[in-house]
Coordinates of all heavy atoms in Angstrom, one line a residue:
M161 N -9.3 21.1 0.3 CA -8.3 20.2 0.7 C -8.6 19.5 2.0 O -9.2 20.1 2.9 CB -7.0 21.0 0.9 CG -5.8 20.2 1.2 SD -5.6 19.8 3.0 CE -5.3 21.4 3.7
A162 N -8.4 18.2 2.1 CA -8.6 17.5 3.3 C -7.4 16.5 3.5 O -6.9 16.0 2.5 CB -9.9 16.7 3.2
V163 N -7.0 16.3 4.7 CA -6.0 15.4 5.0 C -6.6 14.0 5.0 O -7.5 13.7 5.8 CB -5.2 15.7 6.3 CG1 -4.2 14.6 6.6 CG2 -4.6 17.0 6.3
L164 N -6.1 13.1 4.2 CA -6.7 11.7 4.1 C -5.9 10.8 5.0 O -6.4 9.9 5.6 CB -6.6 11.2 2.7 CG -7.4 12.0 1.6 CD1 -7.2 11.4 0.3 CD2 -8.9 11.9 2.0
H165 N -4.6 11.1 5.2 CA -3.8 10.2 6.1 C -2.6 11.1 6.5 O -2.0 11.8 5.7 CB -3.3 9.0 5.3 CG -2.9 7.9 6.2 ND1 -1.6 7.8 6.7 CD2 -3.6 6.8 6.8 CE1 -1.5 6.7 7.5 NE2 -2.7 6.1 7.6
P166 N -2.2 10.9 7.8 CA -1.1 11.8 8.3 C 0.3 11.3 7.9 O 1.2 11.9 8.3 CB -1.3 11.7 9.8 CG -2.0 10.3 10.1 CD -2.9 10.1 8.9
S167 N 0.3 10.1 7.3 CA 1.6 9.6 7.0 C 1.6 8.8 5.7 O 0.6 8.3 5.3 CB 2.0 8.6 8.1 OG 3.1 7.8 7.8
T168 N 2.8 8.7 5.1 CA 2.9 7.8 3.9 C 3.5 6.5 4.2 O 3.8 5.7 3.4 CB 3.8 8.5 2.8 OG1 5.0 8.8 3.4 CG2 3.1 9.8 2.3
S169 N 3.7 6.2 5.5 CA 4.3 5.0 6.0 C 3.3 3.8 6.1 O 2.9 3.5 7.2 CB 5.0 5.2 7.3 OG 6.0 6.2 7.2
F170 N 2.9 3.2 5.0 CA 2.0 2.1 5.0 C 2.2 1.4 3.7 O 2.7 2.0 2.7 CB 0.6 2.5 5.3 CG 0.1 3.6 4.3 CD1 -0.2 3.3 3.0 CD2 0.1 4.9 4.6 CE1 -0.6 4.2 2.1 CE2 -0.3 5.9 3.7 CZ -0.7 5.5 2.5
D171 N 1.6 0.2 3.5 CA 1.6 -0.4 2.2 C 0.2 -0.1 1.6 O 0.1 0.2 0.4 CB 1.9 -1.9 2.2 CG 1.0 -2.7 3.2 OD1 0.1 -2.1 3.9 OD2 1.2 -3.9 3.3
Q172 N -0.9 -0.3 2.4 CA -2.2 0.0 1.9 C -3.1 0.3 3.0 O -3.1 -0.5 4.0 CB -2.7 -1.2 1.0 CG -4.1 -1.0 0.4 CD -5.2 -1.6 1.3 OE1 -5.2 -2.8 1.6 NE2 -6.2 -0.8 1.6
V173 N -3.9 1.4 3.0 CA -4.8 1.7 4.0 C -6.1 2.3 3.3 O -6.1 2.6 2.1 CB -4.3 2.8 5.0 CG1 -3.2 2.2 5.8 CG2 -3.9 4.0 4.3
M174 N -7.2 2.4 4.1 CA -8.4 3.1 3.6 C -8.4 4.5 4.2 O -7.9 4.7 5.4 CB -9.6 2.3 4.0 CG -9.8 0.9 3.3 SD -10.0 1.1 1.5 CE -10.0 -0.7 1.1
A175 N -9.0 5.4 3.5 CA -9.2 6.7 4.1 C -10.6 7.2 3.7 O -11.2 6.7 2.7 CB -8.2 7.7 3.5
T176 N -11.2 8.1 4.4 CA -12.5 8.6 4.1 C -12.4 10.0 3.4 O -11.7 10.9 3.8 CB -13.3 8.9 5.4 OG1 -13.4 7.6 6.1 CG2 -14.7 9.4 5.1
L177 N -13.0 10.0 2.2 CA -13.0 11.2 1.4 C -14.0 12.3 1.9 O -14.9 11.9 2.6 CB -13.4 10.8 -0.1 CG -12.4 9.9 -0.8 CD1 -13.0 9.4 -2.1 CD2 -11.1 10.7 -1.0
P178 N -13.8 13.5 1.5 CA -14.8 14.6 2.0 C -16.2 14.2 1.7 O -17.1 14.7 2.4 CB -14.3 15.8 1.3 CG -12.8 15.6 1.0 CD -12.7 14.1 0.8
D179 N -16.5 13.5 0.6 CA -17.9 13.2 0.2 C -18.4 11.9 1.0 O -19.5 11.5 0.7 CB -18.0 13.0 -1.3 CG -17.2 11.8 -1.9 OD1 -16.7 11.0 -1.1 OD2 -17.2 11.7 -3.1
G180 N -17.6 11.3 1.8 CA -18.0 10.2 2.6 C -17.6 8.8 2.0 O -17.7 7.8 2.7
D181 N -17.2 8.8 0.8 CA -16.7 7.6 0.2 C -15.4 7.2 0.8 O -14.7 8.0 1.3 CB -16.6 7.7 -1.4 CG -17.8 7.5 -2.1 OD1 -18.9 7.2 -1.5 OD2 -17.8 7.5 -3.4
Q182 N -15.1 5.9 0.6 CA -13.8 5.4 1.0 C -12.8 5.5 -0.1 O -13.2 5.2 -1.3 CB -13.9 4.0 1.5 CG -14.1 3.8 2.9 CD -13.9 2.3 3.3 OE1 -13.9 1.4 2.5 NE2 -13.7 2.1 4.6
A183 N -11.5 5.8 0.2 CA -10.5 5.7 -0.8 C -9.5 4.7 -0.4 O -9.2 4.5 0.8 CB -9.8 7.1 -0.9
I184 N -9.0 4.0 -1.3 CA -7.8 3.1 -1.1 C -6.6 3.9 -1.4 O -6.4 4.5 -2.4 CB -7.9 1.9 -2.1 CG1 -9.1 1.1 -2.1 CG2 -6.6 1.0 -2.0 CD1 -9.4 0.2 -3.3
L185 N -5.7 3.9 -0.3 CA -4.4 4.6 -0.5 C -3.4 3.4 -0.6 O -3.4 2.6 0.3 CB -4.1 5.5 0.7 CG -5.1 6.6 1.0 CD1 -4.6 7.4 2.2 CD2 -5.3 7.5 -0.3
V186 N -2.6 3.4 -1.6 CA -1.6 2.3 -1.8 C -0.3 2.8 -2.3 O -0.3 3.7 -3.1 CB -2.2 1.2 -2.7 CG1 -2.6 1.8 -4.1 CG2 -1.3 0.0 -2.8
R187 N 0.7 2.2 -1.7 CA 2.1 2.7 -2.1 C 2.7 1.7 -3.2 O 2.5 0.5 -3.0 CB 3.0 2.7 -0.9 CG 2.9 3.8 0.0 CD 3.7 3.6 1.2 NE 5.0 3.2 1.0 CZ 6.1 4.0 1.0 NH1 5.9 5.3 1.4 NH2 7.3 3.6 0.7
T188 N 3.4 2.2 -4.1 CA 4.2 1.4 -5.0 C 5.6 2.2 -4.9 O 5.7 3.3 -5.4 CB 3.7 1.4 -6.5 OG1 3.6 2.7 -7.0 CG2 2.4 0.7 -6.5
G189 N 6.5 1.6 -4.3 CA 7.8 2.2 -4.1 C 7.6 3.4 -3.2 O 7.0 3.3 -2.1
E190 N 8.0 4.6 -3.7 CA 7.9 5.8 -2.9 C 6.7 6.6 -3.3 O 6.4 7.7 -2.8 CB 9.2 6.7 -3.1 CG 10.4 6.1 -2.6 CD 10.3 5.7 -1.1 OE1 9.9 6.6 -0.3 OE2 10.7 4.6 -0.7
T191 N 5.9 6.1 -4.2 CA 4.7 6.8 -4.7 C 3.4 6.3 -4.1 O 3.2 5.1 -3.9 CB 4.6 6.6 -6.2 OG1 5.8 7.1 -6.8 CG2 3.5 7.5 -6.8
V192 N 2.5 7.2 -3.7 CA 1.2 6.8 -3.2 C 0.2 7.1 -4.2 O 0.2 8.1 -4.9 CB 0.9 7.6 -1.9 CG1 -0.5 7.3 -1.4 CG2 1.9 7.4 -0.8
H193 N -0.7 6.1 -4.4 CA -1.8 6.2 -5.4 C -3.1 6.1 -4.6 O -3.2 5.5 -3.5 CB -1.7 5.1 -6.4 CG -0.4 4.9 -7.0 ND1 0.0 5.6 -8.1 CD2 0.7 4.1 -6.7 CE1 1.2 5.3 -8.4 NE2 1.6 4.4 -7.6
A194 N -4.2 6.7 -5.1 CA -5.5 6.7 -4.5 C -6.6 6.4 -5.5 O -6.6 6.9 -6.6 CB -5.7 8.0 -3.8
F195 N -7.5 5.5 -5.0 CA -8.6 5.1 -5.9 C -9.9 5.0 -5.0 O -9.8 4.6 -3.8 CB -8.4 3.7 -6.5 CG -7.1 3.6 -7.3 CD1 -6.0 3.1 -6.7 CD2 -7.0 4.1 -8.6 CE1 -4.8 3.0 -7.4 CE2 -5.8 4.0 -9.3 CZ -4.7 3.5 -8.7
R196 N -11.0 5.3 -5.5 CA -12.3 5.0 -4.8 C -12.4 3.5 -4.5 O -12.1 2.7 -5.4 CB -13.5 5.5 -5.6 CG -13.6 7.0 -5.5 CD -14.9 7.6 -6.0 NE -14.8 9.0 -6.0 CZ -15.2 9.8 -5.1 NH1 -15.8 9.3 -4.0 NH2 -15.1 11.1 -5.2
N197 N -12.8 3.2 -3.3 CA -13.0 1.8 -3.0 C -14.3 1.3 -3.6 O -15.3 1.0 -2.9 CB -13.0 1.6 -1.4 CG -13.0 0.2 -1.0 OD1 -12.7 -0.7 -1.8 ND2 -13.3 0.0 0.3
R198 N -14.3 1.1 -4.9 CA -15.5 0.7 -5.6 C -15.0 -0.2 -6.8 O -14.4 0.3 -7.7 CB -16.2 1.9 -6.1 CG -17.6 1.6 -6.7 CD -18.3 2.8 -7.1 NE -18.5 3.7 -6.0 CZ -18.3 5.1 -6.1 NH1 -17.9 5.6 -7.2 NH2 -18.4 5.8 -5.0
C199 N -15.4 -1.4 -6.7 CA -15.0 -2.3 -7.8 C -15.8 -2.0 -9.1 O -17.0 -1.9 -9.0 CB -15.2 -3.8 -7.4 SG -14.7 -5.0 -8.7
P200 N -15.2 -1.9 -10.2 CA -15.9 -1.5 -11.5 C -16.8 -2.7 -11.9 O -17.7 -2.5 -12.8 CB -14.8 -1.3 -12.5 CG -13.6 -1.8 -12.0 CD -13.7 -1.9 -10.5
H201 N -16.7 -3.9 -11.3 CA -17.5 -5.0 -11.7 C -19.0 -4.8 -11.2 O -19.9 -4.7 -12.0 CB -17.0 -6.3 -11.2 CG -17.8 -7.5 -11.6 ND1 -17.9 -8.6 -10.8 CD2 -18.5 -7.8 -12.7 CE1 -18.7 -9.5 -11.4 NE2 -19.0 -9.0 -12.6
L202 N -19.1 -4.7 -9.9 CA -20.5 -4.5 -9.3 C -20.6 -3.3 -8.5 O -21.7 -3.1 -7.9 CB -20.8 -5.8 -8.4 CG -20.9 -7.1 -9.1 CD1 -21.2 -8.2 -8.1 CD2 -21.9 -7.1 -10.2
G203 N -19.6 -2.5 -8.4 CA -19.7 -1.2 -7.6 C -19.7 -1.4 -6.1 O -20.1 -0.5 -5.4
I204 N -19.1 -2.5 -5.6 CA -19.0 -2.7 -4.2 C -17.6 -2.5 -3.8 O -16.7 -2.4 -4.6 CB -19.5 -4.1 -3.8 CG1 -18.6 -5.2 -4.5 CG2 -20.9 -4.3 -4.2 CD1 -18.9 -6.6 -4.0
N205 N -17.4 -2.4 -2.4 CA -16.0 -2.3 -1.9 C -15.1 -3.5 -2.3 O -15.6 -4.6 -2.4 CB -16.0 -2.2 -0.4 CG -16.7 -0.9 0.1 OD1 -16.9 0.0 -0.7 ND2 -16.9 -0.8 1.4
L206 N -13.9 -3.2 -2.5 CA -12.9 -4.3 -2.8 C -12.7 -5.2 -1.6 O -12.5 -6.4 -1.7 CB -11.6 -3.7 -3.3 CG -11.5 -3.5 -4.8 CD1 -12.4 -2.4 -5.3 CD2 -10.0 -3.3 -5.2
D207 N -12.7 -4.6 -0.4 CA -12.3 -5.3 0.8 C -13.6 -6.0 1.5 O -14.7 -5.6 1.1 CB -11.6 -4.4 1.9 CG -12.5 -3.3 2.4 OD1 -13.0 -2.5 1.5 OD2 -12.8 -3.3 3.6
W208 N -13.4 -6.9 2.4 CA -14.5 -7.5 3.2 C -14.9 -6.7 4.4 O -15.5 -7.2 5.3 CB -14.1 -8.9 3.6 CG -14.1 -10.0 2.6 CD1 -13.1 -10.8 2.2 CD2 -15.3 -10.4 1.9 NE1 -13.6 -11.7 1.3 CE2 -14.9 -11.5 1.1 CE3 -16.7 -10.0 1.9 CZ2 -15.8 -12.2 0.2 CZ3 -17.5 -10.7 1.1 CH2 -17.1 -11.8 0.2
G209 N -14.4 -5.5 4.5 CA -14.7 -4.7 5.7 C -13.6 -4.5 6.6 O -13.7 -3.8 7.6
D210 N -12.5 -5.2 6.3 CA -11.3 -5.1 7.1 C -10.3 -4.0 6.6 O -9.2 -3.8 7.2 CB -10.6 -6.5 7.2 CG -10.1 -7.0 5.9 OD1 -10.3 -6.3 4.8 OD2 -9.5 -8.0 5.8
G211 N -10.7 -3.4 5.5 CA -9.8 -2.3 5.0 C -8.6 -2.8 4.2 O -7.8 -2.0 3.8
R212 N -8.5 -4.1 4.0 CA -7.4 -4.6 3.3 C -7.8 -5.1 1.9 O -8.7 -5.9 1.8 CB -6.7 -5.7 4.1 CG -6.1 -5.2 5.4 CD -5.0 -4.3 5.2 NE -3.8 -4.9 4.6 CZ -2.7 -4.3 4.3 NH1 -2.6 -3.0 4.4 NH2 -1.7 -5.0 3.7
C213 N -7.0 -4.8 0.9 CA -7.2 -5.3 -0.5 C -5.9 -5.4 -1.2 O -6.0 -5.5 -2.5 CB -8.3 -4.5 -1.2 SG -7.9 -2.7 -1.4
L214 N -4.8 -5.4 -0.5 CA -3.5 -5.5 -1.2 C -3.2 -7.0 -1.2 O -2.9 -7.6 -0.2 CB -2.4 -4.7 -0.4 CG -1.1 -4.7 -1.1 CD1 -1.1 -3.9 -2.4 CD2 -0.1 -4.0 -0.2
K215 N -3.2 -7.6 -2.4 CA -2.9 -9.0 -2.6 C -1.4 -9.3 -2.4 O -1.0 -10.2 -1.7 CB -3.3 -9.5 -3.9 CG -3.0 -11.0 -4.2 CD -3.6 -11.4 -5.5 CE -3.3 -12.9 -5.9 NZ -3.7 -13.8 -5.0
E216 N -0.6 -8.4 -3.0 CA 0.9 -8.5 -3.0 C 1.4 -7.1 -3.4 O 0.6 -6.3 -3.9 CB 1.4 -9.6 -3.9 CG 1.0 -9.4 -5.4 CD 1.3 -10.6 -6.3 OE1 0.6 -11.6 -6.1 OE2 2.2 -10.5 -7.1
P217 N 2.7 -6.9 -3.2 CA 3.1 -5.5 -3.6 C 2.7 -5.2 -5.1 O 3.0 -6.0 -6.0 CB 4.6 -5.6 -3.5 CG 4.8 -6.6 -2.4 CD 3.7 -7.7 -2.6
G218 N 2.0 -4.1 -5.3 CA 1.7 -3.6 -6.6 C 0.4 -4.2 -7.1 O 0.0 -3.8 -8.2
I219 N -0.3 -5.1 -6.4 CA -1.5 -5.7 -6.9 C -2.6 -5.6 -5.9 O -2.5 -6.1 -4.7 CB -1.3 -7.2 -7.3 CG1 -0.2 -7.3 -8.3 CG2 -2.6 -7.8 -7.7 CD1 -0.6 -6.8 -9.7
L220 N -3.8 -5.0 -6.3 CA -5.0 -4.9 -5.4 C -5.9 -6.0 -5.9 O -5.9 -6.4 -7.1 CB -5.6 -3.6 -5.6 CG -4.8 -2.4 -5.1 CD1 -5.5 -1.1 -5.5 CD2 -4.6 -2.4 -3.6
V221 N -6.7 -6.5 -5.0 CA -7.6 -7.6 -5.3 C -9.0 -7.3 -4.8 O -9.2 -6.7 -3.7 CB -7.1 -9.0 -4.8 CG1 -7.0 -9.0 -3.3 CG2 -8.0 -10.1 -5.3
C222 N -10.0 -7.6 -5.5 CA -11.4 -7.5 -5.1 C -11.8 -8.8 -4.4 O -11.6 -9.9 -4.9 CB -12.4 -7.2 -6.2 SG -14.1 -7.1 -5.7
S223 N -12.3 -8.7 -3.2 CA -12.6 -9.9 -2.4 C -13.8 -10.6 -2.9 O -14.0 -11.8 -2.6 CB -12.9 -9.5 -0.9 OG -13.9 -8.5 -0.9
M224 N -14.7 -10.0 -3.7 CA -15.9 -10.7 -4.2 C -15.6 -11.8 -5.2 O -15.9 -12.9 -5.1 CB -16.9 -9.7 -4.7 CG -18.2 -10.3 -5.1 SD -19.1 -11.2 -3.8 CE -19.7 -9.9 -2.7
H225 N -15.0 -11.4 -6.3 CA -14.8 -12.3 -7.4 C -13.3 -12.4 -7.9 O -13.0 -12.9 -8.9 CB -15.6 -11.9 -8.7 CG -17.1 -11.9 -8.4 ND1 -17.8 -10.7 -8.4 CD2 -17.9 -12.9 -8.0 CE1 -19.1 -11.0 -8.1 NE2 -19.2 -12.2 -7.8
G226 N -12.4 -11.7 -7.1 CA -11.0 -11.9 -7.3 C -10.4 -11.1 -8.4 O -9.3 -11.4 -8.8
A227 N -11.0 -10.0 -8.9 CA -10.4 -9.2 -9.9 C -9.1 -8.6 -9.4 O -9.0 -8.2 -8.2 CB -11.4 -8.1 -10.3
L228 N -8.1 -8.5 -10.2 CA -6.8 -8.0 -9.8 C -6.6 -6.7 -10.5 O -6.9 -6.5 -11.7 CB -5.7 -9.0 -10.3 CG -5.8 -10.4 -9.7 CD1 -4.7 -11.3 -10.2 CD2 -5.7 -10.4 -8.2
F229 N -6.0 -5.7 -9.8 CA -5.8 -4.4 -10.3 C -4.4 -3.9 -10.0 O -3.8 -4.2 -9.0 CB -6.8 -3.4 -9.5 CG -8.2 -3.7 -9.6 CD1 -8.9 -4.5 -8.8 CD2 -9.0 -3.1 -10.7 CE1 -10.2 -4.8 -8.9 CE2 -10.3 -3.4 -10.8 CZ -11.0 -4.3 -9.9
A230 N -3.8 -3.3 -11.0 CA -2.5 -2.7 -10.9 C -2.6 -1.5 -9.9 O -3.4 -0.6 -10.1 CB -2.0 -2.2 -12.2
A231 N -1.8 -1.6 -8.9 CA -1.8 -0.5 -7.8 C -1.4 0.8 -8.3 O -1.7 1.8 -7.7 CB -1.0 -1.0 -6.6
D232 N -0.6 0.9 -9.4 CA -0.1 2.2 -9.8 C -1.1 2.9 -10.8 O -1.2 4.1 -10.8 CB 1.2 2.1 -10.5 CG 1.3 1.1 -11.7 OD1 0.3 0.4 -11.9 OD2 2.3 1.1 -12.3
S233 N -1.9 2.1 -11.5 CA -2.8 2.7 -12.5 C -4.3 2.4 -12.2 O -5.2 3.1 -12.7 CB -2.5 2.1 -13.9 OG -2.8 0.8 -13.9
G234 N -4.6 1.4 -11.4 CA -5.9 1.0 -11.1 C -6.5 0.1 -12.2 O -7.7 -0.3 -12.1
R235 N -5.8 -0.1 -13.2 CA -6.3 -0.9 -14.3 C -6.5 -2.4 -13.9 O -5.7 -3.0 -13.2 CB -5.3 -0.9 -15.5 CG -5.9 -1.5 -16.8 CD -4.9 -1.2 -18.0 NE -3.6 -1.7 -17.7 CZ -3.1 -2.9 -18.1 NH1 -4.0 -3.7 -18.7 NH2 -1.9 -3.3 -17.8
C236 N -7.7 -2.9 -14.3 CA -8.0 -4.3 -14.0 C -7.2 -5.2 -14.9 O -7.3 -5.2 -16.1 CB -9.5 -4.6 -14.1 SG -9.9 -6.3 -13.7
L237 N -6.4 -6.1 -14.3 CA -5.5 -6.9 -15.1 C -6.1 -8.3 -15.4 O -5.7 -8.9 -16.4 CB -4.2 -7.1 -14.3 CG -3.4 -5.9 -13.8 CD1 -2.3 -6.2 -12.9 CD2 -2.9 -5.1 -15.1
A238 N -7.0 -8.7 -14.5 CA -7.6 -10.0 -14.7 C -8.9 -10.1 -13.9 O -9.0 -9.4 -12.8 CB -6.7 -11.1 -14.2
G239 N -9.9 -10.8 -14.3 CA -11.1 -11.0 -13.6 C -12.3 -10.5 -14.5 O -12.1 -10.1 -15.6
P240 N -13.5 -10.4 -13.9 CA -14.7 -10.1 -14.7 C -14.8 -8.7 -15.2 O -15.6 -8.4 -16.1 CB -15.8 -10.4 -13.7 CG -15.2 -10.3 -12.3 CD -13.8 -10.8 -12.5
C241 N -13.9 -7.8 -14.7 CA -13.9 -6.4 -15.2 C -12.6 -6.1 -15.9 O -12.1 -4.9 -15.9 CB -14.2 -5.4 -14.1 SG -13.3 -5.7 -12.6
A242 N -11.9 -7.1 -16.4 CA -10.6 -6.9 -17.1 C -10.7 -5.8 -18.2 O -11.7 -5.8 -18.9 CB -10.1 -8.2 -17.7
G243 N -9.7 -4.9 -18.1 CA -9.7 -3.8 -19.1 C -10.4 -2.5 -18.5 O -10.2 -1.4 -19.0
D244 N -11.2 -2.7 -17.5 CA -11.8 -1.5 -16.8 C -10.8 -1.0 -15.8 O -9.7 -1.5 -15.7 CB -13.1 -2.0 -16.2 CG -14.1 -0.8 -16.1 OD1 -13.7 0.4 -16.1 OD2 -15.3 -1.1 -16.1
A245 N -11.2 -0.1 -15.0 CA -10.2 0.5 -14.0 C -10.9 1.0 -12.8 O -12.1 1.4 -12.9 CB -9.4 1.6 -14.6
L246 N -10.2 1.0 -11.7 CA -10.7 1.7 -10.5 C -10.7 3.2 -10.8 O -9.8 3.7 -11.6 CB -9.7 1.5 -9.3 CG -9.6 0.0 -8.9 CD1 -8.5 -0.1 -7.8 CD2 -10.9 -0.5 -8.3
E247 N -11.6 4.0 -10.1 CA -11.6 5.4 -10.3 C -10.5 6.1 -9.5 O -10.5 6.0 -8.3 CB -13.0 6.0 -9.9 CG -13.1 7.5 -10.1 CD -14.5 8.0 -9.6 OE1 -15.4 7.2 -9.5 OE2 -14.6 9.2 -9.4
P248 N -9.6 6.8 -10.2 CA -8.5 7.5 -9.4 C -9.1 8.6 -8.6 O -10.1 9.3 -8.9 CB -7.6 8.0 -10.5 CG -8.4 8.1 -11.7 CD -9.5 7.1 -11.6
V249 N -8.4 8.9 -7.5 CA -8.7 10.1 -6.6 C -7.5 11.0 -6.6 O -6.4 10.5 -6.3 CB -9.0 9.6 -5.2 CG1 -9.1 10.8 -4.2 CG2 -10.2 8.7 -5.1
P250 N -7.6 12.2 -7.0 CA -6.5 13.1 -7.1 C -6.0 13.4 -5.6 O -6.8 13.8 -4.8 CB -7.0 14.4 -7.7 CG -8.4 14.1 -8.2 CD -8.9 12.9 -7.5
I251 N -4.7 13.2 -5.4 CA -4.1 13.5 -4.1 C -2.8 14.2 -4.3 O -2.3 14.2 -5.5 CB -3.9 12.2 -3.3 CG1 -2.9 11.2 -4.1 CG2 -5.1 11.5 -2.9 CD1 -2.4 10.1 -3.3
R252 N -2.3 14.7 -3.2 CA -0.9 15.2 -3.2 C -0.3 14.9 -1.9 O -1.0 14.7 -0.9 CB -0.9 16.7 -3.5 CG -1.6 17.5 -2.5 CD -1.6 19.0 -2.8 NE -2.5 19.7 -1.9 CZ -3.1 20.8 -2.1 NH1 -3.1 21.3 -3.3 NH2 -3.8 21.4 -1.2
V253 N 1.0 14.8 -1.9 CA 1.7 14.5 -0.6 C 2.4 15.8 -0.2 O 3.2 16.4 -1.0 CB 2.8 13.4 -0.8 CG1 3.6 13.2 0.5 CG2 2.1 12.1 -1.2
V254 N 2.1 16.3 1.0 CA 2.6 17.5 1.5 C 3.3 17.2 2.9 O 2.6 16.8 3.8 CB 1.5 18.6 1.7 CG1 2.1 19.9 2.3 CG2 0.8 18.9 0.4
D255 N 4.6 17.4 3.0 CA 5.3 17.1 4.2 C 5.0 15.7 4.8 O 4.8 15.6 6.0 CB 5.0 18.2 5.3 CG 5.5 19.6 4.9 OD1 6.5 19.6 4.1 OD2 4.8 20.6 5.2
G256 N 4.9 14.7 3.9 CA 4.6 13.4 4.4 C 3.2 13.0 4.6 O 2.8 11.9 5.0
R257 N 2.3 14.1 4.5 CA 0.8 13.8 4.7 C 0.2 13.7 3.3 O 0.6 14.3 2.4 CB 0.2 15.0 5.4 CG 0.6 15.3 6.8 CD -0.1 16.5 7.4 NE -0.1 17.6 6.4 CZ -0.5 18.8 6.6 NH1 -1.1 19.1 7.7 NH2 -0.5 19.7 5.6
I258 N -0.9 12.9 3.3 CA -1.6 12.7 2.0 C -2.9 13.6 2.1 O -3.7 13.4 3.0 CB -1.9 11.3 1.8 CG1 -0.7 10.5 1.8 CG2 -2.7 11.1 0.5 CD1 -0.9 9.0 1.9
E259 N -3.0 14.5 1.1 CA -4.2 15.4 1.1 C -4.9 15.2 -0.3 O -4.3 14.8 -1.3 CB -3.7 16.8 1.2 CG -2.9 17.1 2.4 CD -2.4 18.6 2.4 OE1 -2.4 19.3 1.3 OE2 -1.9 19.0 3.5
T260 N -6.2 15.6 -0.3 CA -6.9 15.6 -1.5 C -6.3 16.8 -2.3 O -5.9 17.8 -1.7 CB -8.4 15.9 -1.3 OG1 -8.6 17.1 -0.5 CG2 -9.1 14.7 -0.6
A261 N -6.2 16.6 -3.6 CA -5.6 17.6 -4.5 C -6.6 18.7 -4.8 O -7.8 18.6 -4.6 CB -5.1 17.0 -5.8
Ligands
LIG517 S1 -17.4 -7.3 -7.5 FE1 -15.2 -7.1 -7.7 S2 -14.7 -8.6 -9.1 FE2 -16.8 -8.8 -8.9

């Protein structure tokens, strides 16, 4: 178990996983979802290095070619990897903290 973020009070942030990869933590309503920060199109980060990839509530975007992903499932809704998905990261929320499951 590792604490990825001390709080659930954000819309979208990046966190470092125990293996060194980055995870996208994103909220939809009261639920937090986590995905590896790796676009299924080319395997690169979704963000430009600023840690942000939330296009609008519920939608993540890849900065390279604009693929759109559902923030609750990670499924690619449009773009060059449509039908593919971000890799989910198992997490749990304990006392408002986000931990690896
Ligand atoms: S690398 Fe993400 S859409 Fe192409």
Side-chain angles (χ1 to χ4, degrees):
M161 181 278 296
V163 176
L164 297 177
H165 199 275
S167 164
T168 58
S169 299
F170 54 78
D171 56 359
Q172 181 265 306
V173 294
M174 295 294 177
T176 302
L177 295 168
D179 65 8
D181 272 5
Q182 269 192 339
I184 302 163
L185 304 179
V186 59
R187 282 172 50 102
T188 58
E190 296 303 311
T191 305
V192 179
H193 310 275
F195 306 97
R196 287 194 185 264
N197 186 15
R198 188 178 304 135
C199 182
H201 181 215
L202 295 181
I204 61 173
N205 291 350
L206 270 69
D207 65 300
W208 279 121
D210 62 357
R212 297 293 294 174
C213 57
L214 187 66
K215 178 177 176 60
E216 59 191 69
I219 301 291
L220 299 169
V221 62
C222 179
S223 57
M224 183 59 74
H225 303 113
L228 301 177
F229 300 89
D232 58 351
S233 67
R235 189 169 58 90
C236 182
L237 305 171
C241 47
D244 212 334
L246 299 172
E247 182 182 341
V249 174
I251 59 168
R252 62 184 175 207
V253 177
V254 179
D255 295 330
R257 296 178 315 184
I258 301 164
E259 301 176 347
T260 54

